[in-house]
Amino acid sequence: MSRGTIGVAILGALALGAPNASATSQSVHQVKLKINPHCDVSLYVDDHQFPGKIRAQAHFGCDKGDNLITPTISIDRDRTHGLGSRSAGPKVIRKGRGFGGFETTTADKAGKQCYRAVVLIVYPDPADVNQSQKVKTPCLNT
């Protein structure tokens, strides 16, 4: 079973165990990282973990090699960007030693809203210019 399939199964079990779970979510799975294509990120946005809140969560891993990253996670709501923005600081991910459960939350605003989980991944390079990559989920309408 792949890391993505296991992650989805775990998140599904958590959703069903939560009181008043509506189990509404959007995700992108195993998006290849720019610097090492053997490393990837899976990103989720849901409304079922905390009552009245929207949660964004990211999981990073590698099948081969390693990668130095500085991820920042946030939530976009309609035209508002960077809600609940949170940085993990520099992280080294490698085979067998990923980085998961990196999350943030924001209040679910009244009315119909479009929420997207966003992770900005910066690849620090002290000898050259840093590179970056942005990954977003599809719209979660609540």
Side-chain angles (χ1 to χ4, degrees):
M1 196 181 287
S2 73
R3 280 193 324 266
T5 305
I6 293 169
V8 170
I10 291 169
L11 286 174
L14 289 172
L16 295 174
N20 303 320
S22 64
T24 304
S25 65
Q26 288 288 352
S27 60
V28 289
H29 298 285
Q30 296 181 318
V31 174
K32 300 295 180 197
L33 298 187
K34 188 176 187 177
I35 302 297
N36 181 348
H38 298 287
C39 298
D40 58 57
V41 60
S42 293
L43 185 61
Y44 309 86
V45 61
D46 63 52
D47 68 350
H48 58 266
Q49 189 67 18
F50 304 102
K53 294 213 178 256
I54 301 296
R55 175 181 67 162
Q57 186 175 61
H59 299 271
F60 298 87
C62 293
D63 292 329
K64 181 178 173 184
D66 58 19
N67 216 335
L68 173 63
I69 61 171
T70 303
T72 300
I73 193 167
S74 64
I75 298 171
D76 288 355
R77 177 177 57 218
D78 293 328
R79 292 183 195 95
T80 306
H81 301 282
L83 298 171
S85 183
R86 183 171 162 235
S87 175
K91 297 283 183 191
V92 175
I93 55 173
R94 60 179 55 101
K95 184 176 180 176
R97 186 171 174 259
F99 171 59
F102 179 44
E103 64 182 49
T104 189
T105 61
T106 191
D108 188 359
K109 190 175 175 183
K112 189 156 180 92
Q113 308 293 326
C114 166
Y115 291 96
R116 295 178 194 269
V118 180
V119 67
L120 174 65
I121 307 159
V122 175
Y123 304 97
D125 188 347
D128 200 2
V129 177
N130 291 348
Q131 294 188 46
S132 64
Q133 177 179 3
K134 188 180 277 190
V135 179
K136 291 184 176 188
T137 63
C139 204
L140 171 67
N141 292 303
T142 65

